[in-house]
């Protein structure tokens, strides 16, 4: 529970930092040290906290407890600014205060985990609530593939007379099928060498060494030596499969028992069982999705932008239509897709074979993934800001402008879902920037001219936060299109066998 709380705090901190970064462009022309006199001390305190968190995770006790830094606004200097500038300063300060609370909480959670000093004694970590049940298309696909693997082995055992292994084939298919279904990124061909290498090693010991042994001491020495050799030769993390299958097949082939017997058919039957297993895994490798890494990345990117398109449609103002339960469920589904798909795409990147993808480098793909993650953060931010209370006259004044922007972005998402390189980044940047510049000018004019009875400082802040969220989505979208244009996508779409 403590580590889940730590993970939750880190994820929230990352998201808040991303939101905070969106404020930089708005306040870079302002003298923030004049408007927030304690900003330097505030930054030093955050640096100190994060450094001590790293030290505690490395096993060192913290030097001091977090100190509260009041981040007060200089009201006199702020009153001389326009509504638009005041809003940007207040939004930036609010996010900094949020960062202060999150870093303090992160410090307390890590102190509680490591038991560092008095902080660990006084901190009580609340229970992290479990997430409700969500529909995960990738997990459903993994379940479907596992069921096909299991039933293929089971039906073969029933209807094929004299099948090598019999029920052993079903048992091994159950175990190996779980591994194959949970790690679709792992090519079946990469399992062949570790499995048959372990089988060969165990067969040599079983046929030539074990019949010469007598007594427990010699058998114990053999088991120790064999285990040491397998683990030593497969000591690197990337050799985990060799270590796993080597140890498993050593036990399976040698079949150590109180009444030991030796039969060459044990080795040949085990070899034929795994041959049949690999045949089943290869046949089911592309069920229900294509297992080629480049195709999987394209499929997940397409799903990501389809979910983005739906969420953008859901941000429209239409109070006359109540939100039905099915619509709410679809919003939750697509929001989770947008939040989790960048991580799933990242799990496929190490398995890309760039030899078959000329014109693509790993740095380009990683930059593309970083851009997708940034876009996911900003769409989540837009959805949150969309639900903040807004002044009615501001909503009515800019309803058409926001609708025009939303339709434009929806169209971009639709085209990116169809093909990752369909948009022209330069043209799109020009269109979106022009629309946003026009909108910002109208917002500032409306806030300055609005009667004091119709607008409050908080209305300006809320509307500015919403405008900033729209702007950040536009910038992230343009950034993605630019990074996607640098990749040659033609080889990604070619059939490969």
């Amino acid at each position: 529970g403590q580590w889940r709380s730590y993970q939750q705090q880190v994820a929230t901190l990352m998201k808040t930092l991303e939101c905070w970064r969106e404020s930089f462009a708005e306040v870079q022309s302002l003298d923030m040290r004049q408007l927030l006199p304690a900003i330097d001390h505030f930054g030093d305190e955050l640096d100190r906290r994060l450094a001590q968190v790293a030290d505690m995770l490395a096993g060192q006790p913290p030097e001091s407890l977090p100190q509260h830094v009041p981040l007060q606004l200089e009201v006199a200097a702020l009153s001389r600014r326009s509504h638009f500038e005041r809003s940007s300063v207040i939004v930036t300060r609010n996010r900094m205060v949020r960062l202060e609370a999150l870093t303090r909480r992160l410090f307390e959670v890590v102190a509680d985990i490591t038991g560092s000093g008095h902080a660990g004694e006084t901190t009580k970590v609340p229970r992290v609530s479990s997430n409700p049940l969500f529909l995960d298309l990738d997990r459903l696909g993994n379940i479907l593939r596992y069921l096909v693997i299991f039933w293929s082995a089971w039906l073969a055992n029933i209807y094929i007379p004299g099948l090598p292994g019999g029920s052993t084939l079903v048992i091994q298919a159950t175990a190996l099928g779980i591994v194959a279904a949970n790690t679709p990124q792992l090519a079946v061909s990469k399992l062949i060498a570790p499995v048959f290498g372990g089988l060969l090693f165990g067969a040599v010991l079983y046929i030539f060494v074990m019949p010469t042994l007598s007594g427990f001491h010699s058998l114990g020495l053999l088991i120790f030596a064999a285990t040491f050799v397998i683990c030593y030769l497969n000591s690197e993390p990337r050799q985990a499969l060799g270590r796993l299958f080597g140890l498993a097949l050593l036990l399976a082939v040698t079949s150590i028992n109180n009444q030991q017997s030796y039969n060459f058919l044990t080795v040949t039957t085990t070899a034929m069982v795994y041959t049949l297993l690999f045949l089943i895994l290869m046949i089911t490798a592309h069920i229900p999705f294509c297992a080629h890494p480049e195709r999987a990345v394209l499929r997940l990117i397409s799903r990501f932008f389809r979910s983005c398109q739906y969420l953008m449609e859901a941000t429209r103002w239409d109070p006359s239509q109540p939100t039905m339960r099915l619509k709410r469920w679809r919003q939750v589904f697509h929001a989770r897709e947008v939040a989790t798909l960048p991580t799933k795409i990242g799990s496929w990147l190490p398995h890309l074979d760039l030899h078959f993808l000329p014109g693509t480098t790993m740095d380009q793909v990683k930059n593309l993934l970083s851009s997708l993650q940034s876009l996911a953060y900003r769409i989540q931010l837009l959805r949150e800001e969309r639900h903040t209370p807004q002044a009615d006259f501001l909503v009515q004044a800019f309803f058409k402008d926001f609708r025009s922007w939303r339709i434009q972005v929806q169209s971009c998402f639709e085209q990116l879902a169809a093909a990752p390189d369909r948009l022209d980044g330069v043209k799109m940047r020009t269109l979106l920037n022009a629309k946003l510049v026009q909108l910002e000018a109208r917002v500032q004019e409306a806030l300055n001219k609005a009667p004091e009875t119709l607008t409050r400082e908080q209305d300006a802040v809320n509307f500015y936060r919403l405008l900033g969220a729209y702007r950040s989505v536009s910038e992230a979208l343009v950034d993605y299109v630019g990074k996607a244009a640098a990749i040659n996508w033609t080889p990604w779409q070619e059939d490969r066998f």
Side-chain angles (χ1 to χ4, degrees), residues 55 203 426:
D55 292 341
V426 177

Side-chain angles (χ1 to χ4, degrees), residues 187-204:
V188 178
S189 58
K190 293 185 178 180
L191 297 175
I192 296 177
V195 167
F196 284 98
L199 179 62
L200 179 62
F201 182 72
V204 170

Side-chain angles (χ1 to χ4, degrees), residues 110-261:
V110 175
D112 186 82
I113 290 173
T114 59
S116 300
H118 298 290
E121 299 174 4
T122 59
T123 303
K124 294 183 179 179
V125 180
R127 183 184 298 273
V128 180
S129 59
S130 59
N131 291 327
L133 182 63
F134 289 107
L135 178 63
D136 191 319
L137 296 180
D138 297 288
R139 286 192 176 185
L140 289 178
N142 295 344
I143 292 172
L144 178 59
R145 185 187 179 192
Y146 172 75
L147 291 176
V148 173
I149 293 172
F150 172 77
W151 280 103
S152 298
W154 181 253
L155 294 175
N157 181 42
I158 294 176
Y159 291 106
I160 300 179
L163 184 71
S167 59
T168 303
L169 176 66
V170 180
I171 295 172
Q172 294 297 327
T174 303
L176 200 58
I178 293 176
V179 176
N182 286 330
T183 55
Q185 302 89 349
L186 185 63
V188 178
S189 58
K190 293 185 178 180
L191 297 175
I192 296 177
V195 167
F196 284 98
L199 179 62
L200 179 62
F201 182 72
V204 170
L205 296 181
Y206 178 73
I207 296 173
F208 297 105
V209 179
M210 290 186 62
T212 65
L213 303 179
S214 61
F216 169 77
H217 294 89
S218 57
L219 178 62
L221 182 61
L222 174 67
I223 295 175
F224 172 80
T227 304
F228 178 83
V229 169
I230 292 172
C231 294
Y232 181 79
L233 295 178
N234 299 277
S235 59
E236 298 183 11
R238 61 186 178 86
Q239 296 175 314
L241 287 176
R243 184 167 61 252
L244 171 66
F245 286 112
L247 295 173
L249 288 168
L250 173 66
L251 298 178
V253 174
T254 55
S255 304
I256 299 173
N257 204 330
N258 288 334
Q259 300 297 326
Q260 187 71 28
S261 61

Side-chain angles (χ1 to χ4, degrees), residues 406-418:
R406 177 179 57 78
I407 292 175
Q408 180 72 36
V409 172
Q410 275 183 242
S411 175
C412 294
F413 286 151
E414 183 180 8
Q415 295 181 62
L416 291 173

